[in-house]
Amino acid sequence: MKIPPPVADLIGLEAARIENGEAIMELEAGEQHSNPMGTIHGGIICDLADAAMGMAYFSQLEAGETFTTLELKINYLRPFWTGKLVAHGRVVSRGKTVGMTECDVVDDQGRLIAKATSTCLTLRGDAAQGR
C-alpha cells in the first residue's frame, strides 16, 4: 500500500497524522477544486474525508491485511470556497472482518463543513493480494 496514496498528490491532500485508529488529512482548497457555482466540489470534500477514514482504518491493520470500502456516506453541511480544510477520520468499530469509520471535515475556524461515515472490509490471504 502506498502512503500517502497517489490520489493525494493529484488533489493536494496532506497527511498531518496517522496513528492508533485516527488520521488527520488536510487540503488547501483553491479555485482548481471548485464546482461551477464557485464552491469546493463535493467530490473533493468526499475524497478528503475518504482519505482520512481510510488512513485511520489502515493504521489498525495487521501485517498481511488490506481493506476495501464497502459503503461511503457524506453529508454536506455548509458551503466552502477556498482555504484550509481539515478532515479528522477515526475508527468507530473494528471487528474481525467489517469495520466502521467516521470523519468530520472542518474549516480553519472549526466550523463543520461535512460529516462522513464508511464501512470497511478487512481482507486477508489471497483476497488481500494486489489490493
Side-chain angles (χ1 to χ4, degrees):
M1 181 176 261
K2 295 181 181 180
I3 305 298
V7 71
D9 288 335
L10 176 67
I11 296 172
L13 307 179
E14 296 287 332
R17 181 169 59 94
I18 302 169
E19 62 185 7
N20 301 324
E22 294 191 14
I24 306 287
M25 300 291 292
E26 299 174 342
L27 171 66
E28 191 61 43
E31 290 182 13
Q32 73 274 23
H33 299 111
S34 296
N35 63 29
M37 284 71 66
T39 59
I40 299 306
H41 191 281
I44 298 293
I45 296 171
C46 190
D47 270 336
L48 174 62
D50 186 40
M53 292 184 292
M55 291 296 93
Y57 199 78
F58 169 79
S59 75
Q60 291 194 329
L61 294 178
E62 297 178 15
E65 292 181 334
T66 63
F67 78 99
T68 191
T69 301
L70 295 174
E71 180 265 345
L72 174 67
K73 181 186 185 316
I74 189 162
N75 290 99
Y76 302 102
L77 303 170
R78 67 183 317 137
F80 187 78
W81 286 265
T82 59
K84 188 175 186 176
L85 288 173
V86 178
H88 180 196
R90 59 205 154 275
V91 176
V92 174
S93 174
R94 180 161 191 265
K96 183 177 178 184
T97 305
V98 175
M100 180 180 181
T101 62
E102 66 180 8
C103 181
D104 295 329
V105 179
V106 299
D107 66 11
D108 59 0
Q109 296 176 36
R111 295 179 296 192
L112 189 61
I113 303 300
K115 177 92 174 176
T117 59
S118 72
T119 305
C120 300
L121 175 68
T122 303
L123 302 169
R124 294 174 190 85
D126 289 343
Q129 298 305 310
R131 306 245 329 173

